[in-house]
Structure formats: C-alpha cells, structure tokens
Amino acid sequence: MATAKFSVSTTGNTGEDSELQSIEVDKSLALASKLNQTNSGSAEPATGLTHECGVFGAIACGDWPTQIDVAHVICLGLVALQHRGQESAGIVTSEGKCSRNFNTHKGMGMISTLFNDESIKKLKGNLGIGHTRYSTSAASEVVNCQPFVVHTLHGAIAVAHNGELVNSESLRRDLLSRGVGLSTHSDTELISQSLCLCPDGVSEKDGPDWPARIRYFMQLAPLSYSLVIMFKDKIYAARDPYGNRPLCLGKIMPINGEANAKVEDVRADGWVVSSESCGFLSIGARYVREVEPGEIVELTRNGFRTIDVVKLPDYKKVSFCIFEYVYFARGDSIFEGQMVYSVRMQCGKQLAREALIDADIVSSVPESGTAAAHGYARESGLPFAEVLCKNRYVGRTFIQPSTRLRKLGVAKKFGALSENVAGKRLVLIDDSIVRGNTIGPIIKLLRDAGAAQVHIRIASPPLQYPCYMGINIPTREELIANNLNAEQLARHVGADSLEYLSVEGLVKAVELNKQASNPGKSGYCTACLTGEYPGGYRRS
C-alpha cells in the first residue's frame, strides 16, 4: 500500500464541538442500528462491534533467537484473560528478521481448543501479540478474529484492540473517501488501516514515523481502546487518553532468580503487556505498572520506554471503566495500585452500611459476588456460609448470546447446599443485575432448598444505560432496572427484599485505597449507571 496523507475535516467547528458532535452522530447511528436489528430480526449490524476483549503482548530481551517460548507465554497470558472473551482468539508472532511476514494462528473458539503443541510450534518468534474476543452474536465471525495483520509499503503490522471507537462511523467514511477498502465492520480494521496512512504535516523521508501515526490516530479517536501494535522487531502499547480500558506492563523474571527479589533489581528476560495483570505470575512475570491514559509505550529487546503521551484538555478527567472493578476483571488483577478483589470486598462493606437487614447468614452468587459477600459479612457481623454449588464447566450467563440460552444456563449452573439453607434468613450478594434473568431462578432454587427468607443485595448500582465503549449492554429496554425499581424487582424475582449499592458508595469503595499517578485528573466512567458519558456526551 502506498503512503497517503490522512486527515479528518472539522470545518466550522472547534475541536471540542467536533468531538462531541461526532460522538453524538455516530452513537445515534449505533442506537438506531441496534433498535432496527431488534425490530426486524436482522442479524447483521450496520455499525461497529460491541465487545469486551483481552489483549496481550510479549517480547524477549537479549540475544535472538530467544530461549523463551514467546508463543507459549502469549497463549498462557490469553488463558488468564479468557474471562474477557470466549468466542475467538489469535496469536501473531515475529522472528524479528523479516518485515514482510508474520506467523499467525487464529480462529473461533476457546484458547484450549484453538492452540495445541503443533500450532504453538509453528508460531516461532521473539515477540508477538495475542487477542481473545467476545462480541455480539451477529459479529461472531472468523473474519473478525484478531489480531489483524495488514501489509504496508513498509512491511507488515499486527493490531489487537480492546474497546469500541465512539466515532467509528466518521473514521470509516473518511477512510472510504480516500479509497481505502474495508472488508469488515471491525473497529480494529479501522485502526489498522488508519495507521497505514501518513498524517498531514508529518515528514517521512527516512521511513514511517509510527509513533506519530499512532499519536495522530489517538487524537482523531478520543476513546475507547487499549492497543497492542506489533512491527518486525518492536511492540507499541497504547491506551486512549481517557484511560477507559485497562492496560498494564509486566517483567518476565529469570527462572533462577531470587524468589523475593525486588522487581526493579532484577534483569528482565522479557516484557509483557496485558489488559490485566492476573496472568503474570503464571508466566513467570511480575507486575510493573499500568500504561497511563494517553501513553504510547515502545517495547523492544532492550526494554520499554514512553514514546509520547496524548493528554486530555485540562477541563477533562480520566474515565476508567468502573465496571472493570464491578464485574469484568479477574479478582487478582491490579488497577490503580489496588487488587480488584479488595475493592469488591470494600463494595460489600459499603453495601452493608447502606442496606443492612436482619438475617442469619450472608452468602453469594459464586463466584461473582463472593468478595462483596465477605465484605458484607465482616461489616454486618453476620456469618458467611456457602449456599450455592456451582457447576464450573458452564460459562458465564452474561456472555451467552441469547436470552433463551441465558435462561437455560441458570438451571444447569447451580445447585443448592440445603443443609446451609434450610430454615435460614439469607442475605444473598451478587455483583450486578443486568437483564434480571438469572436471579429469579436462583431464589426459587434456594426456597426449594428450605430458605425461610431470601434478601438480595447487589454490590453495584442499577444498570440503566447502554455502553458505547466496549461492553455488551446494547439497549435500555433490555436492562431490568429501567423497567422495575428495587421494590418491584424484588416482587418480580420472588425476593423478600432487594437493594443496590449507590453510585456514591461504589465510587467511595473504589477510591478508598487507589494510588493514582495524577489524582487531580483521575476519574471513572459511570455511563452505564448514570448516563454521563466521557467527553461530556450524555444520552437521555
């Protein structure tokens, strides 16, 4: 592909007005598409994908070829991120010698079914990136599997992406108007093709200025994404200026190193970048730090360094997705210097302060509500006891693609521990209620097991608004909190009472022990709870 200049016209608008108008237009199109899809029964989306994914990258230090099995490291890293996406996955590696060809293996299915010894052996390389994906059912196709590989005049690049571009339609129109062909509705393809174009005003006489291209794309697309971008011998990691999606760095430690040595005092065998830190220990890596909002990090065999930072205007704040703490992230991941499990426990304590009830025991919907249930029990002084036995071979019902399958999934997902339940007044904690399909059958199961009372406590506020930044919460009509208040919902699902954690309580729990690099600019996206979207955009 020949080098071309890339710009997006904003004639007649200030930068801020352009951004907000672009988001409003694109998200209106997205909402209209989703409503039309619901009404018509069509399975084909007209706009960008809505998904929650995981990205991972690894690069070996020192002499190449490396003794580290990079593909295996990435595979294990993706296994640790499997909760973020279960529909497709892929790995792309580079040996660091040829810019024309990468080694690629990707497809539909779980990590364990896609990758075996034979496929891993074919993924030779000293560096690589991987992706695990969850999408709406309409976009669950092999053509959308990541990472995306595109071949440019300057060699191949591979891109993996977590999030959703809020102005995808305007970017798509601009690329098409410049003669760039697109074969999917994937935001990742938009990113890949955008990086192939040289920005206006950038001189590339000595070859492509990839950091400048990445920066220019980040200025055009304010959110939402975490990116890993691989070239022949380096990886770039980037996070949107709002910091909406998570991304962190880790150091691969020497196998024979001291167990209790400080991370900064030990030489690196390699470096990794990941949506979450939960898989680092399993691959012999240690958490180093988060990629900061707007930061572009370059990883090479010599280490990592910050190349650039795309900053927000002074009047805007970082908007990290608060639902990562509530639901999506694994409990042993670290965000903002604190472990997710500890935050969820703190949510339970705050919930006990706000919605205490006279009962005999506290329990949880495993495993999503367990940390909060322990917090509630400690704060209330009530004993914790398990009351549900989970079939661990059934996937999360939130991730299944249809309402019918979600309802069917509940029946085979849990059993009741009747000896712990019979005759007891029970407080049952869960992390969230989305569509309200699962909690009713669970309550019936507990009553059938002999529970005297079942009081539901939810360790997050009611979900009321769709997410346009990468979470599968498509329309307000599907969210039960928009149809029933807490008292009505309690009657609907058969509970003796039901209460949510307040928005203020959630933010208080999250902020209690966080360690922000820039406290004055830190903040959270609560759009799905309040309708207040990053960048000032708000939908009624």
Side-chain angles (χ1 to χ4, degrees):
M1 181 180 294
T3 300
K5 294 294 182 179
F6 183 42
S7 65
V8 173
S9 174
T10 56
T11 304
N13 296 302
T14 65
E16 172 67 7
D17 289 340
S18 299
E19 178 182 320
L20 294 182
Q21 288 182 8
S22 175
I23 295 173
E24 288 185 21
V25 170
D26 286 357
K27 293 306 111 181
S28 294
L29 289 169
L31 183 61
S33 169
K34 288 168 183 174
L35 291 176
N36 288 336
Q37 179 181 337
T38 300
N39 294 333
S40 67
S42 170
E44 181 65 24
T47 59
L49 308 177
T50 305
H51 56 275
E52 174 70 11
C53 305
V55 298
F56 196 92
I59 187 167
C61 292
D63 296 331
W64 290 352
T66 179
Q67 298 301 308
I68 296 175
D69 190 341
V70 169
H72 197 192
V73 167
I74 297 171
C75 185
L76 291 175
L78 293 179
V79 168
L81 297 176
Q82 187 77 86
H83 59 284
R84 298 184 70 87
Q86 303 169 16
E87 291 186 356
S88 68
I91 295 175
V92 178
T93 61
S94 169
E95 296 179 56
K97 299 180 293 185
C98 178
S99 63
R100 295 298 174 187
N101 295 299
F102 292 154
N103 302 311
T104 303
H105 185 81
K106 58 182 180 178
M108 305 300 295
M110 304 277 280
I111 308 296
S112 59
T113 61
L114 278 173
F115 296 97
N116 52 33
D117 289 342
E118 182 179 353
S119 60
I120 291 293
K121 287 178 181 178
K122 293 179 180 179
L123 290 168
K124 295 180 180 179
N126 298 299
L127 65 157
I129 63 174
H131 186 269
T132 184
R133 178 172 177 270
Y134 164 65
S135 72
T136 58
S137 58
S140 181
E141 302 169 353
V142 69
V143 69
N144 291 316
C145 296
Q146 298 184 43
F148 273 38
V149 177
V150 294
H151 296 271
T152 76
L153 181 65
H154 311 286
I157 64 174
V159 179
H161 160 237
N162 168 218
E164 184 179 5
L165 302 180
V166 297
N167 60 338
S168 59
E169 286 302 313
S170 60
L171 289 173
R172 181 178 298 276
R173 288 192 300 268
D174 191 81
L175 284 170
L176 292 173
S177 71
R178 294 171 191 279
V180 176
L182 299 170
S183 58
T184 73
H185 286 286
S186 170
D187 286 353
T188 313
E189 186 180 21
L190 294 181
I191 297 168
S192 303
Q193 295 293 353
S194 297
L195 293 175
C196 293
L197 303 177
C198 177
D200 286 340
V202 175
S203 174
E204 295 191 338
K205 294 180 180 179
D206 299 323
D209 187 342
W210 295 115
R213 294 188 184 198
I214 297 170
R215 177 183 176 84
Y216 190 70
F217 166 77
M218 293 172 68
Q219 291 172 328
L220 292 176
L223 52 80
S224 160
Y225 48 86
S226 287
L227 301 173
V228 287
I229 308 165
M230 186 180 74
F231 300 88
K232 177 185 73 172
D233 57 357
K234 64 184 65 176
I235 296 172
Y236 288 102
R239 195 173 171 203
D240 73 67
Y242 286 91
N244 187 253
R245 301 257 68 86
L247 197 63
C248 62
L249 298 165
K251 176 189 282 189
I252 299 177
M253 307 289 278
I255 294 177
N256 298 322
E258 295 182 21
N260 297 321
K262 292 183 178 179
V263 175
E264 58 270 22
D265 295 337
V266 179
R267 67 171 178 82
D269 276 357
W271 297 94
V272 291
V273 58
S274 176
S275 293
E276 296 182 39
S277 61
C278 54
F280 285 176
L281 289 177
S282 66
I283 59 172
R286 299 292 184 271
Y287 174 83
V288 175
R289 68 171 178 87
E290 289 182 293
V291 176
E292 294 295 328
E295 185 180 15
I296 304 171
V297 176
E298 180 188 72
L299 295 92
T300 69
R301 67 169 74 183
N302 298 317
F304 75 88
R305 62 183 180 127
T306 299
I307 295 295
D308 206 344
V309 178
V310 179
K311 295 182 178 180
L312 287 174
D314 291 339
Y315 56 87
K316 292 185 179 181
K317 284 190 174 183
V318 166
S319 298
F320 178 56
C321 174
I322 206 163
F323 215 55
E324 292 282 354
Y325 280 115
V326 171
Y327 182 90
F328 279 107
R330 216 170 80 173
D332 53 340
S333 288
I334 297 172
F335 298 142
E336 301 176 309
Q338 55 185 342
M339 191 162 284
V340 171
Y341 185 92
S342 299
V343 173
R344 290 174 180 168
M345 183 177 289
Q346 192 60 43
C347 287
K349 291 182 178 180
Q350 183 64 28
L351 182 59
R353 300 182 193 113
E354 295 182 4
L356 191 63
I357 190 74
D358 189 20
D360 299 312
I361 60 172
V362 176
S363 194
S364 66
V365 177
E367 297 164 346
S368 56
T370 301
H374 281 292
Y376 191 101
R378 291 186 186 185
E379 184 68 20
S380 65
L382 296 171
F384 175 88
E386 293 184 5
V387 299
L388 292 170
C389 182
K390 184 177 181 181
N391 180 353
R392 301 183 187 279
Y393 298 96
V394 179
R396 299 167 90 171
T397 53
F398 184 88
I399 302 272
Q400 293 174 352
S402 72
T403 300
R404 179 176 176 275
L405 286 178
R406 290 187 191 97
K407 290 182 177 179
L408 290 174
V410 175
K412 61 185 179 182
K413 194 172 182 179
F414 295 109
L417 300 174
S418 56
E419 288 186 358
N420 291 350
V421 173
K424 300 291 178 60
R425 298 171 300 166
L426 167 66
V427 180
L428 188 69
I429 310 292
D430 203 0
D431 59 358
S432 59
I433 293 181
V434 183
R435 298 170 179 86
N437 293 329
T438 62
I439 195 67
I442 289 174
I443 293 170
K444 183 179 184 304
L445 182 69
L446 293 171
R447 291 200 186 279
D448 290 346
Q453 296 178 9
V454 181
H455 300 276
I456 302 299
R457 294 295 182 267
I458 305 300
S460 65
L463 282 163
Q464 295 181 293
Y465 296 87
C467 176
Y468 300 117
M469 286 150 286
I471 309 298
N472 186 34
I473 308 174
T475 63
R476 293 193 68 183
E477 289 75 15
E478 289 191 73
L479 301 174
I480 193 70
N482 288 319
N483 301 313
L484 302 171
N485 62 30
E487 184 177 347
Q488 293 169 332
L489 182 56
R491 291 197 297 268
H492 176 71
V493 299
D496 291 280
S497 70
L498 187 149
E499 297 289 344
Y500 296 94
L501 181 64
S502 66
V503 175
E504 296 77 15
L506 174 60
V507 173
K508 181 178 179 180
V510 168
E511 290 187 332
L512 183 65
N513 294 309
K514 79 170 183 178
Q515 300 171 18
S517 59
N518 187 356
K521 294 278 286 185
S522 67
Y524 299 98
C525 175
T526 59
C528 58
L529 311 174
T530 63
E532 297 178 359
Y533 293 83
Y537 173 73
R538 182 185 177 100
R539 182 176 298 284
S540 60

